[in-house]
């Protein structure tokens, strides 16, 4: 959220998230506010290098261009200082001189020339080769050019390259010559009087600009190199473009307002798979360790300050290796030992409940979409008034009509849920089966506990949470408005209550805090609701295989607006690319003229042969990819690098089991009678580059096991002191068998068997130390191979 924004009158605001100058996400517009609450979460993989993560606040305009109020920009190197906690940031003014991104490749040389009369003078040669990653201007590739200047106290020689049209990666390959010093015998009067010592004060400055044609040129960045560093040698390097030194120096930084952010940024260097064998094996055998509290996976959750940090990579790793179900069963059994009453079963935020929560988010993503998305879309797009709290009712509201509307929505959501068991993923069913039987074993005299153990997850922690926060589960693009959010909250409360086994009894109704909810639920006291819940819970906690109906609906995976290149047309003008609405399901990939219109073009998933990136040089457009199928390739341009990466990943995932997938493809387009990449003249010739994903996968969930193991290694490394403290605690317990004299040292740890826990801790510490050595060797090798000034490791700031 933001507060105290200018101008000091109620306006419509939205916020964007940018990697350097590329917008990757945008919040919804919050109308008529000075302190807008956005309440949106964005989780994404960063598919390219970047310098700044920026957040821009905009004042929405109907007739004119949206006005940028201010920004928060955080350097990539500083993100670790803010990760994992909420921070208020003062908005900074948006200055065009500070809005830069990209890098430039230069070669500089200082030559000594002998003149006709035999005297010596110095000449500077500047070869500007190319630029990479220049920003989009108004959503389009820029028309860049460069000015090359030799600047000193009393001179400013400037030269200019040609303008390159519609590209973010211009190839200039132009060379410029500058006179640096003249021989003492040089007598011709010149514009600049250059003394010998002036070379210490001279610098080469390269400025990048976007050619504005009829409007003002836009500054794209600059770099400065002192001439003295050349010392008669050729100097070739990549440089990150920098803002102007006078950029963003406005004194009016206190009155723009402020923005509250919660950022979580992680960056890991993943080694080859064989380096993780020991740690991976240690984690994967956790479910076999007795007691479970002495296992590596359980110890990981004990030493992390926030259990969630440990749960995400742990669940993904165990899922990847098919070890999650036995581990969840083991930690759930440990939970049940401390549960004294059946009605509090699995209600806390323990390792077991968090593992199940995370598993449901990962595995149940498609299940949620096919079950809830249609009804959630109806509620959000055609909302009916549903407020039944007398205190919140507005003038003219009819509580009976509102109650009927709410009852209609609750019935519809409830019906969709209890009829969805056929779509529940097998892995979720296996986990629920284990939880159900563990609960029945722990409380054998309670016939309802086996159902409440499952409903506490599937209703309370899965469906009810998705209903109240549909944007978090990708059921809606944005946080719903206040009225719709209230409606979803009431529906969510109803679903929680209906799904809680036995909650419709009179004793339960009397415990409602809100009288209006008690009155509302009196209409639900029917046997059919209880029986529907019971049947649904029986179905989703059964290990019997469920054969889906042949008429079942396709699973909706992804949709959004992008640009496609017209197929079979000549390459003339902007009309060659058209905006279309794309939709991906488990059966087909389609595009439509507009959302909710009939598809113009359909590709069955089984016919997709490959999905790959397309070189920018093909059409001078960024963020392009191609879908290869039986006919001509479908060329698509996404709106930003994150969106392109997500579409490629989604399409690859759903087509990986296709039998006729290609092993080779063309990374560029076929234009003017030849492939731009390999110059082959036959259009249907075999590709010249290997496909990035030509191996069929046997899982629907794409997980990089090595990456998750690396994340776990990082967590162990960060919490090394706690590992040692736990090791000392185990030693103390093993040696001193009497009452604990100093419980504060280890009272927060669960130590059931000090000897077994101590043994596992030693294995963890040894494994982490070996990985530390491997990482140090890797970093040394990387630093020696990625020379400072190379394209992978460009120079930042001024060379000295």
């Amino acid at each position: 959220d933001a507060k105290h924004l200018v101008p000091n009158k109620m306006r419509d605001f939205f916020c964007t998230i940018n990697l350097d100058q590329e917008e990757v996400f945008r919040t919804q517009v919050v109308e008529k506010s000075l302190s807008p609450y956005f309440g949106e979460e964005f989780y994404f993989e960063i598919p390219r290098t970047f310098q700044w993560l920026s957040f821009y606040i905009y004042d929405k305009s109907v007739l004119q261009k949206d006005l940028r109020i201010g920004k928060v920009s955080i350097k990539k190197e500083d993100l670790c200082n803010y990760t994992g906690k909420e921070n208020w940031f003062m908005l900074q003014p948006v200055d065009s001189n500070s809005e830069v991104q990209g890098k430039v490749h230069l070669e500089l040389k200082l030559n000594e020339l002998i003149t006709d009369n035999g005297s010596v003078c110095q000449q500077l040669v500047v070869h500007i080769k190319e630029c990479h990653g220049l920003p989009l201007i108004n959503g389009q590739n820029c028309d860049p050019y460069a000015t090359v200047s030799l600047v000193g106290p009393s001179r400013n020689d400037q030269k200019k390259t040609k303008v390159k049209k519609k590209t973010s990666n211009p190839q200039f390959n132009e060379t410029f010559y500058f006179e640096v010093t003249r021989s003492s015998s040089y007598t011709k009067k010149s514009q600049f009087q250059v003394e010998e010592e002036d070379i210490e004060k001279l610098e080469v400055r390269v400025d990048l600009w976007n050619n504005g044609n009829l409007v003002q040129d836009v500054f794209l960045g600059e770099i400065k190199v002192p001439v003295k560093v050349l010392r008669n040698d050729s100097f070739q390097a990549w440089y990150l473009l920098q803002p102007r030194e006078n950029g963003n120096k406005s004194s009016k930084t206190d009155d723009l307002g402020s923005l509250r952010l919660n950022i979580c940024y992680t960056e890991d260097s993943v080694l080859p798979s064989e380096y993780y064998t020991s740690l991976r094996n240690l984690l994967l055998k956790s479910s076999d360790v007795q007691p479970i509290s002495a296992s590596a996976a359980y110890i990981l959750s004990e030493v992390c300050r926030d259990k969630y940090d440990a749960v995400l990579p742990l669940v993904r790793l165990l899922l990847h290796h098919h070890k999650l179900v036995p581990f969840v069963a083991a930690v759930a059994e440990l939970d049940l030992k401390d549960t004294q009453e059946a009605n509090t079963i699995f209600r806390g935020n323990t390792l077991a409940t968090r593992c199940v929560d995370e598993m449901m988010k990962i595995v149940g993503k498609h299940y949620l979409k096919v079950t809830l998305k249609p009804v959630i879309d109806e509620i959000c797009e055609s909302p009916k008034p549903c407020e039944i709290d007398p205190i919140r009712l507005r003038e003219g509201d009819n509580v009976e009509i509102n109650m009927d509307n709410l009852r209609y929505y609750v019935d519809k959501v409830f019906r969709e849920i209890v009829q969805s068991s056929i779509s529940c993923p097998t892995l979720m069913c296996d986990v629920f089966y284990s939880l159900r039987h563990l609960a029945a074993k722990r409380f054998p005299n309670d016939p309802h506990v086996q159902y409440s153990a499952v409903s506490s997850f599937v209703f309370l922690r899965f469906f009810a949470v998705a209903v109240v926060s549909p944007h978090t589960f990708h059921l809606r693009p944005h946080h719903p408005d206040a009225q719709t959010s209230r409606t979803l909250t009431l529906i969510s409360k109803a679903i929680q209550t209906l799904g809680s086994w036995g909650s419709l009894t009179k004793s339960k109704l009397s415990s409602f805090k809100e009288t209006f909810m008690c009155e509302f639920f009196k209409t639900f006291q029917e046997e059919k609701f209880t029986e529907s819940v019971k049947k649904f819970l029986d179905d989703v906690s059964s290990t019997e295989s469920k054969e889906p109906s042949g008429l079942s609906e396709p699973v909706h995976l992804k949709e959004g607006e992008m640009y496609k290149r017209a197929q079979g047309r000549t390459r003339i003008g902007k009309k060659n690319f058209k905006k279309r609405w794309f939709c991906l399901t488990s059966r087909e990939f389609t595009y439509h003229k507009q959302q909710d219109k009939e598809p113009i073009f359909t590709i069955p998933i089984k016919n997709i042969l490959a999905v790959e990136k397309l070189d920018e040089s093909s059409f001078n457009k960024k963020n392009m990819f191609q879908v290869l199928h039986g006919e001509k390739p479908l060329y698509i341009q996404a709106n930003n690098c994150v969106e392109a990466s997500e579409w490629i990943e989604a399409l690859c995932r759903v087509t990986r089991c296709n039998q006729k997938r290609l092993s080779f493809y063309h990374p560029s387009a076929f234009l003017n009678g030849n492939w731009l990449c390999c110059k082959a003249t036959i259009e249907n010739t075999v590709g010249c580059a290997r496909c990035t994903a030509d191996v069929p996968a046997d899982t629907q969930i794409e997980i990089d096991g090595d990456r998750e193991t690396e994340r776990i290694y990082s967590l162990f490394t960060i919490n090394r002191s706690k590992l040692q403290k736990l090791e000392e605690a185990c030693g103390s317990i093993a040696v001193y068998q009497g009452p604990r004299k100093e419980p504060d040292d280890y009272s927060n740890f669960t130590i059931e068997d000090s000897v077994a826990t101590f043994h596992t801790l030693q294995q963890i510490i040894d494994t982490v130390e070996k990985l530390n050595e491997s990482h140090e060797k890797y970093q040394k090798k990387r630093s020696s191979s990625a020379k400072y000034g190379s394209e992978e490791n460009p120079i930042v700031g001024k060379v000295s």
Side-chain angles (χ1 to χ4, degrees):
D1 59 346
K3 63 182 181 182
H4 309 316
L5 300 180
V6 295
N8 292 316
K9 55 181 178 179
M10 307 294 264
R11 302 301 291 264
D12 301 340
F13 294 106
F14 66 91
C15 181
T16 67
I17 303 174
N18 293 49
L19 290 175
D20 298 320
Q21 294 307 297
E22 182 180 16
E23 180 186 320
V24 292
F25 288 107
R26 177 180 293 209
T27 69
Q28 66 175 352
V29 177
V30 178
E31 297 179 347
K32 296 189 172 41
S33 175
L34 279 177
S35 298
Y37 177 76
F38 301 110
E40 299 198 37
E41 292 182 11
F42 300 96
Y43 172 83
F44 60 100
E45 301 284 334
I46 299 176
R48 63 170 177 82
T49 58
F50 70 103
Q51 293 186 68
W52 298 86
L53 178 66
S54 299
F55 303 83
Y56 291 83
I57 296 288
Y58 283 83
D59 179 0
K60 180 72 175 174
S61 176
V62 178
L63 300 176
Q64 299 177 343
K65 187 178 178 182
D66 297 331
L67 176 66
R68 288 195 286 191
I69 299 295
K71 69 174 182 178
V72 172
S73 289
I74 306 171
K75 266 190 172 181
K76 178 185 174 183
E77 295 77 19
D78 297 333
L79 282 170
C80 57
N81 299 329
Y82 303 105
T83 190
K85 51 191 175 185
E86 287 187 356
N87 292 277
W88 280 101
F89 297 88
M90 298 299 296
L91 290 178
Q92 303 299 316
V94 179
D95 175 8
S96 60
N97 288 335
S98 67
E99 306 292 293
V100 303
Q101 82 172 52
K103 53 192 174 185
V104 60
H105 192 193
L106 288 183
E107 183 177 9
L108 306 172
K109 191 172 184 180
L110 202 57
N111 290 335
E112 286 192 345
L113 300 179
I114 301 176
T115 62
D116 293 340
N117 61 9
S119 58
V120 177
C121 69
Q122 288 185 302
Q123 181 189 57
L124 175 67
V125 183
V126 180
H127 181 193
I128 179 166
K129 296 187 172 185
E130 58 183 320
C131 290
H132 278 183
L134 297 181
L136 299 176
I137 304 295
N138 297 324
Q140 299 295 322
N141 278 336
C142 53
D143 295 337
Y145 69 90
T147 59
V148 182
S149 309
L150 182 62
V151 182
S154 58
R155 67 186 293 177
N156 188 351
D157 296 347
Q158 187 179 92
K159 299 181 181 182
K160 178 182 169 183
T161 68
K162 294 177 182 176
V163 176
K164 299 295 179 180
K165 292 287 186 181
K166 302 297 176 200
T167 177
S168 295
N169 300 324
Q171 303 282 329
F172 292 113
N173 281 321
E174 294 191 42
T175 305
F176 302 99
Y177 300 90
F178 297 90
E179 187 181 70
V180 177
T181 63
R182 301 190 183 93
S183 63
S184 54
S185 60
Y186 189 82
T187 56
K188 185 177 178 183
K189 203 165 184 180
S190 110
Q191 184 181 354
F192 299 105
Q193 299 298 318
V194 183
E195 303 293 339
E196 191 69 36
E197 62 271 13
D198 279 350
I199 193 170
E200 294 293 320
K201 301 174 183 176
L202 292 177
E203 64 181 13
V204 179
R205 192 179 76 201
V206 178
D207 294 79
L208 269 295
W209 298 85
N210 176 60
N211 183 39
N213 292 322
L214 300 177
V215 297
Q216 187 175 0
D217 292 355
V218 177
F219 175 75
L220 301 178
E222 70 175 14
I223 63 109
K224 295 178 180 179
V225 183
V227 173
K228 64 182 180 182
V229 303
L230 302 180
R231 307 192 188 285
N232 296 327
D233 292 326
S234 177
F235 189 83
Q236 183 177 174
W238 284 87
Y239 300 82
L240 282 177
L241 291 171
Q242 299 298 309
R244 277 186 175 161
E245 290 183 353
N246 63 346
N248 210 11
K249 293 288 178 75
S250 172
S251 60
K252 296 183 179 179
T253 57
D254 296 333
D255 57 357
L256 295 176
S258 52
L259 182 65
R260 182 167 58 166
L261 302 169
N262 191 334
I263 300 169
C264 184
Y265 174 75
T266 57
E267 182 177 332
D268 297 313
S269 299
V270 183
L271 301 174
S273 187
E274 59 268 20
Y275 287 90
Y276 298 108
T277 303
S278 298
L279 181 57
R280 183 169 54 241
N281 291 342
L282 194 59
L283 291 161
L284 293 180
K285 71 178 184 181
S286 291
S287 56
D288 301 324
V289 175
Q290 295 291 337
I292 190 66
S293 59
S295 68
Y298 194 92
I299 289 170
L300 175 68
S301 72
E302 288 282 273
V303 298
C304 287
R305 184 171 60 88
D306 185 348
K307 272 190 171 59
Y308 181 76
D309 292 339
V311 166
L312 181 58
L314 184 60
V315 167
R316 291 174 69 86
L317 180 69
L318 294 174
L319 266 176
H320 184 62
H321 292 280
H322 312 291
K323 295 283 187 179
L324 182 65
V325 177
F327 178 74
V328 167
V331 291
E333 191 169 13
L334 182 61
D335 260 16
L336 289 169
K337 284 182 183 178
D338 297 327
T339 305
Q340 302 304 318
E341 296 181 13
N343 61 356
T344 62
I345 192 167
F346 299 132
R347 291 297 172 93
N349 279 324
T350 63
L351 177 60
T353 58
R354 290 207 171 189
C355 282
V356 178
D357 286 351
E358 199 56 45
M359 177 274 296
M360 292 190 297
K361 283 182 187 176
I362 297 169
V363 177
K365 191 185 297 183
H366 298 159
Y367 178 34
L368 274 179
K369 282 188 176 180
V370 76
T371 305
L372 288 184
K373 194 174 189 316
V375 65
I376 294 293
D377 285 344
E378 179 188 341
I379 295 166
C380 293
E381 291 166 12
S382 306
K384 298 177 181 179
C386 294
E387 186 55 71
I388 58 173
D389 183 352
I391 299 173
R392 290 173 176 257
L393 287 174
R394 299 175 182 176
E395 189 175 346
D397 280 355
N398 187 312
V399 70
E400 284 79 15
I401 292 176
N402 289 5
M403 192 174 287
D404 288 344
N405 291 338
L406 182 60
R407 176 64 193 256
Y408 166 78
Y409 283 147
V410 170
D411 278 343
K412 194 161 187 176
V413 172
F414 179 80
R415 187 168 59 251
E416 292 295 335
I417 291 172
V418 296
Q419 292 178 357
S420 70
S421 59
I422 195 74
S423 303
C424 186
T426 305
L427 189 72
M428 285 176 64
C429 295
D430 291 344
V431 169
F432 294 152
Y433 175 83
S434 295
L435 297 177
R436 175 178 178 170
H437 284 271
L438 287 169
K441 181 181 174 184
R442 174 69 179 84
F443 298 101
N445 298 322
D446 189 328
H448 299 315
V449 72
Q450 58 177 317
Y451 294 107
S452 58
V454 179
S455 68
S456 64
F457 285 106
V458 73
F459 277 100
L460 272 66
R461 292 173 176 264
F462 187 57
F463 284 119
V465 179
V467 167
V468 81
S469 302
H471 58 292
T472 306
F473 290 83
H474 306 290
L475 299 176
R476 294 292 298 169
H478 295 296
H479 184 80
D481 61 54
Q483 183 178 336
T484 307
S485 186
R486 172 65 178 163
T487 298
L488 292 172
T489 300
L490 291 171
I491 297 170
S492 178
K493 281 184 177 183
I495 294 302
Q496 288 183 54
T497 306
L498 290 172
S500 298
W501 180 257
S503 63
L504 298 180
T505 61
K506 290 182 180 179
S507 60
K508 286 282 183 180
L509 283 174
S510 62
S511 67
F512 270 112
K513 292 179 182 178
E514 303 107 328
T515 308
F516 63 88
M517 289 301 286
C518 182
E519 292 299 317
F520 177 64
F521 273 107
K522 284 181 180 176
T523 64
F524 285 90
Q525 290 190 68
E526 303 170 18
E527 183 115 357
K528 67 174 185 178
F529 285 100
T530 307
E531 287 304 311
S532 295
V533 171
K534 182 175 180 294
K535 183 179 184 307
F536 171 73
L537 295 175
D538 279 332
D539 289 344
V540 297
S541 58
S542 168
T543 56
E544 295 178 11
S545 61
K546 302 188 291 293
E547 290 297 327
S549 165
L551 301 174
S552 62
E553 288 294 313
V555 178
H556 177 97
L557 302 177
K558 191 170 177 61
E559 63 181 350
E561 203 168 58
M562 295 186 290
Y563 295 84
K564 61 160 280 289
R565 181 176 184 258
Q567 298 188 31
R569 303 217 186 144
T570 56
R571 190 181 175 194
I572 301 173
K574 291 184 179 178
K575 290 185 179 178
N576 212 30
F577 279 84
K578 293 187 177 180
K579 188 185 289 187
R580 292 288 182 256
W581 185 265
F582 288 81
C583 184
L584 174 65
T585 72
S586 55
R587 288 186 188 169
E588 58 192 21
F589 181 49
T590 60
Y591 63 77
H592 315 242
K593 196 164 188 178
Q594 292 175 335
Q595 188 178 4
D596 300 326
K597 297 289 184 183
E598 289 298 311
I600 300 173
F601 189 73
T602 300
I603 306 175
I605 293 300
K606 63 182 182 181
N607 291 355
I608 295 178
L609 306 176
V611 182
E612 298 289 344
K613 290 181 180 178
L614 186 72
D615 284 354
E616 182 189 328
S617 58
S618 299
F619 303 106
N620 284 332
K621 291 182 180 292
K622 296 179 80 169
N623 305 317
M624 289 203 66
F625 62 96
Q626 53 183 318
V627 179
L628 307 178
H629 56 110
E631 303 173 28
K632 291 180 182 250
L634 177 61
Y635 297 128
I636 302 170
Q637 183 187 25
N639 294 294
N640 58 65
C641 62
V642 173
E643 186 178 77
S645 177
E646 288 177 348
W647 272 104
I648 293 170
E649 182 185 0
L651 283 159
C652 283
R653 186 182 301 166
V654 78
T655 60
R656 285 235 168 145
C657 294
N658 287 358
Q659 296 298 314
K660 296 181 180 180
R661 280 191 64 89
L662 298 176
S663 296
F664 292 88
Y665 77 108
H666 290 284
S668 288
F670 186 82
L671 296 173
N672 303 322
N674 65 74
W675 289 101
L676 300 180
C677 42
C678 59
K679 307 305 178 189
T681 56
I682 302 174
E683 189 169 4
N684 62 355
T685 191
V686 177
C688 56
R690 180 169 285 279
C691 287
T692 55
D694 61 341
V695 181
D698 58 355
T699 59
Q700 192 175 10
I701 304 159
E702 191 64 22
I703 293 173
D704 185 339
D706 294 337
R707 181 174 178 176
E708 305 306 332
T709 313
E710 168 63 30
R711 182 93 291 268
I712 292 170
Y713 152 75
S714 298
L715 291 170
F716 276 135
T717 304
I718 293 166
N719 295 284
R720 176 67 187 270
S721 61
K722 286 188 179 179
L723 287 173
Q724 291 172 333
K725 192 174 179 181
L726 185 55
E727 192 178 32
E728 291 167 8
C730 290
S732 300
I733 294 170
V735 172
Y736 182 72
Q737 297 294 336
R740 297 180 181 180
K741 290 185 178 180
E742 297 177 353
D744 290 343
D745 284 345
Y746 48 85
S747 58
N748 292 328
F749 298 131
T750 302
I751 304 175
E752 294 180 286
D753 185 330
S754 58
V755 175
T757 305
F758 186 84
H759 177 65
T760 304
L761 282 164
Q762 285 187 318
Q763 290 179 295
I764 292 171
I765 292 169
D766 289 345
T767 304
V768 168
E769 284 177 351
K770 288 177 182 175
L771 270 171
N772 281 340
E773 293 172 7
S774 301
H775 270 282
E776 286 172 8
K777 290 178 183 177
Y778 168 77
Q779 291 297 344
K780 285 180 182 176
K781 183 179 178 182
R782 184 183 179 190
S783 60
S784 61
S785 61
K787 180 183 171 186
Y788 191 49
S790 64
E791 185 175 1
E792 298 78 19
N793 190 17
I795 294 171
V796 182
K798 187 186 267 191
V799 179
S800 57

